[in-house]
Amino acid sequence: MGQIVAIVGRPNVGKSTLFNRLTQTRRAIVDETAGTTRDRQYGKVDWNGREFSIIDTGGWVVNSEDIFEGEINRQVHLAIEQADEILFVVDAMNGVTDLDDHVAQILRRSKKPVLLVTNKVDSNDWLYNVPEFYSLGLGEPYPISAVSGFGTGDLLDEVVKNLPEADEDQAAHLEALPKFTIVGRPNAGKSSLINAFIGEERHIVTDIAGTTRDSIYTRYNKFGFDFYLVDTAGIRKKNKVNEDIEYYSVIRSIRAIEASDVCILMIDATRGIEAQDGNIFSLIQKNKKGLIVCVNKWDLVEDKSQDAIKQFETAIRNKFAPFSDFPIIFTSALTKQRIHKVLETATEVYNNRMRHVPTARLNEIMLDAIAAYPPPANKGKFVKIKYITQLKEQQIPTFVFFCNLPQWVKEPYRRYLENKIRENWSFTGTPISIFMREK
């Protein structure tokens, strides 16, 4: 069991800045708007050889008009349930507020180890405000400045002291698991799909485009599956990305695609394929990732006939041509229709990425296909392909064709070779690379 530390506290006390300081990233979005962190956010902290996970929770908002208020309260309760230790962050400049009292009450009842962190001690003057936080009944306050790093070393020493010993074998195993990223335009149903998989409302699902502003990793090990699911912020068109917040989300989505093995691209069945879906597809292609297209909200479509399905599939494949060898699944995250099929297919695509064809078998089949349809002659010169091999330990399946005149083999013939490989071995969902080398 990994060790989890949760950061809790009311909005704008600097939880995300502390998260970024401890994980040395910009993964949590830091913004002046109160309540920017709308979701739990995970990161890893390594302190003197001890590693633990940290969760940055949503801000606590009580009796406000904010639509997220009830959701955020639920998120923090979930974080408390999951954490081994809690960092309760308060603002030394503001002193104790009613909200801090409210949070402290919940934390005292939680029976979890709590460290009281007084943030924003950016100069010695603010140290005089620290003693008043003893009134919260949570023991000694730890003065820090998340911005400058003052006091964070002492805080981490204390955090590590209270944690159980880590299981190193398990950590290595986690790294080796497949990573599946769910991508798509905002509101295509990405968070709903993860909730349907996990059966726990990990994500805040509200009808506001751009609610999921961060990438969130979730371990999934049920029903014989074991992998990481990554949910990303919805990728917006560039001209809509006017808030800094949105900007970081898009960058993070790209990073999440980079960090994954297989991308599940969600398309909203009620809106059809839009230009933005094509852009996301090309990001997946550029990063050479496995692909499944998931047409979500199929329960809301009136015409569910085979003809309608065929038309939709054809439209998708035409849009994403020339790469067309990928699975398309029609799902509903809401009714959980065919969501298991998505996981099975993602696992198959991952296995296809890892597939290695024995050299003898590769030459036997491909040399016949080349003899049946040799490369076109160029200026009276004939290209002769002698030998084929698949390289090991590549990011995607990579084949090298040894021949006398590699520069004369053009794109249409490479496509022919790729199609022949796909006809004979299952590489559905994964791009493959073909190189010509001089023999």
Side-chain angles (χ1 to χ4, degrees):
M1 179 65 194
Q3 300 133 355
I4 294 178
V5 176
I7 303 177
V8 301
R10 61 189 175 77
N12 272 9
V13 291
K15 296 186 297 299
S16 293
T17 311
L18 178 60
F19 175 89
N20 292 342
R21 164 71 55 185
L22 299 185
T23 56
Q24 300 179 319
T25 67
R26 284 210 65 162
R27 281 189 38 201
I29 298 165
V30 183
D31 193 77
E32 291 304 310
T33 327
T36 300
T37 311
R38 298 298 191 187
D39 223 323
R40 284 181 290 162
Q41 172 65 353
Y42 281 78
K44 288 276 183 205
V45 178
D46 190 330
W47 184 247
N48 294 339
R50 290 291 304 277
E51 196 182 62
F52 58 90
S53 294
I54 194 153
I55 310 175
D56 174 20
T57 65
W60 294 65
V61 187
V62 176
N63 302 332
S64 80
E65 296 301 304
D66 191 335
I67 177 171
F68 297 100
E69 178 224 312
E71 292 281 4
I72 288 172
N73 268 307
R74 277 173 54 215
Q75 295 281 299
V76 180
H77 278 289
L78 273 169
I80 289 171
E81 277 168 34
Q82 291 191 13
D84 299 306
E85 194 174 350
I86 292 161
L87 301 182
F88 173 30
V89 183
V90 291
D91 182 339
M93 293 182 180
N94 278 354
V96 179
T97 67
D98 293 348
L99 257 173
D100 293 330
D101 275 332
H102 171 76
V103 177
Q105 268 176 12
I106 295 172
L107 291 176
R108 285 199 303 269
R109 286 201 296 269
S110 78
K111 299 283 189 286
K112 288 274 165 85
V114 177
L115 293 179
L116 179 59
V117 182
T118 50
N119 189 25
K120 305 192 186 176
V121 180
D122 299 331
S123 71
N124 286 341
D125 295 350
W126 296 110
L127 280 169
Y128 298 115
N129 290 8
V130 171
E132 74 168 284
F133 290 95
Y134 277 101
S135 68
L136 294 172
L138 289 167
E140 184 185 345
Y142 286 81
I144 67 152
S145 165
V147 171
S148 71
F150 161 75
T152 50
D154 293 344
L155 176 65
L156 282 168
D157 286 342
E158 197 58 35
V159 169
V160 167
K161 208 186 290 177
N162 298 334
L163 286 174
E165 285 297 321
D167 180 349
E168 284 179 18
D169 292 346
Q170 189 191 32
H173 175 60
L174 291 182
E175 284 307 301
L177 293 177
K179 294 176 184 64
F180 300 154
T181 298
I182 297 178
V183 288
R185 287 194 325 268
N187 279 17
K190 298 182 294 293
S191 293
S192 303
L193 184 67
I194 288 199
N195 290 341
F197 289 149
I198 311 277
E200 172 199 354
E201 293 203 14
R202 239 305 283 286
H203 296 65
I204 298 173
V205 181
T206 44
D207 293 330
I208 298 176
T211 303
T212 313
R213 285 171 160 167
D214 278 299
S215 303
I216 298 150
Y217 287 79
T218 309
R219 174 83 180 274
Y220 186 99
N221 50 356
K222 294 183 201 170
F223 312 116
F225 294 109
D226 197 1
F227 53 83
Y228 279 126
L229 266 172
V230 189
D231 181 33
T232 62
I235 303 177
R236 291 278 181 98
K237 286 202 182 99
K238 281 207 180 70
N239 59 5
K240 294 224 181 113
V241 184
N242 43 16
E243 292 180 82
D244 282 349
I245 297 172
E246 293 286 3
Y247 169 72
Y248 283 121
S249 310
V250 174
I251 299 299
R252 200 163 293 111
S253 296
I254 294 166
R255 287 208 184 118
I257 289 172
E258 286 173 356
S260 67
D261 299 305
V262 178
C263 294
I264 299 166
L265 171 55
M266 296 198 69
I267 291 177
D268 185 334
T270 61
R271 294 174 60 172
I273 314 160
E274 296 182 332
Q276 189 64 359
D277 297 319
N279 295 343
I280 299 168
F281 168 77
S282 63
L283 275 176
I284 296 168
Q285 281 288 92
K286 275 182 196 142
N287 282 292
K288 296 185 162 61
K289 300 303 177 185
L291 171 71
I292 295 168
V293 173
C294 186
V295 182
N296 192 33
K297 307 190 185 176
W298 193 239
D299 53 316
L300 303 177
V301 174
E302 283 181 24
D303 183 2
K304 295 186 179 67
S305 65
Q306 281 305 309
D307 279 352
I309 289 175
K310 281 269 183 308
Q311 277 178 325
F312 215 123
E313 282 189 354
T314 307
I316 292 170
R317 291 195 198 283
N318 288 346
K319 177 86 177 167
F320 297 162
F323 182 51
S324 60
D325 184 14
F326 54 82
I328 300 175
I329 304 169
F330 291 80
T331 63
S332 162
L334 209 62
T335 64
K336 301 200 175 183
Q337 182 184 13
R338 281 192 285 280
I339 64 157
H340 237 101
K341 179 93 176 126
V342 175
L343 294 186
E344 281 169 18
T345 311
T347 306
E348 281 166 25
V349 169
Y350 177 77
N351 291 337
N352 291 346
R353 269 172 83 78
M354 301 295 147
R355 187 178 308 288
H356 195 272
V357 180
T359 304
R361 186 86 183 115
L362 187 61
N363 281 275
E364 185 187 325
I365 287 180
M366 290 306 292
L367 289 175
D368 281 353
I370 291 161
Y373 177 56
N378 195 311
K379 296 180 184 165
K381 290 184 175 164
F382 292 90
V383 178
K384 294 188 178 65
I385 296 174
K386 306 278 175 54
Y387 178 76
I388 307 122
T389 185
Q390 182 181 355
L391 300 181
K392 288 190 170 158
E393 293 179 9
Q394 299 297 303
Q395 186 190 6
I396 57 171
T398 302
F399 298 88
V400 181
F401 289 73
F402 291 96
C403 60
N404 58 340
L405 298 163
Q407 68 276 26
W408 295 125
V409 181
K410 301 292 182 239
E411 194 52 44
Y413 195 75
R414 286 167 185 269
R415 205 164 292 151
Y416 166 75
L417 295 175
E418 177 174 333
N419 290 340
K420 281 293 164 198
I421 291 171
R422 289 183 185 279
E423 273 172 36
N424 286 284
W425 296 279
S426 178
F427 288 107
T428 297
T430 181
I432 62 182
S433 283
I434 288 179
F435 290 104
M436 298 291 158
R437 286 279 180 275
E438 196 157 349
K439 179 69 172 167

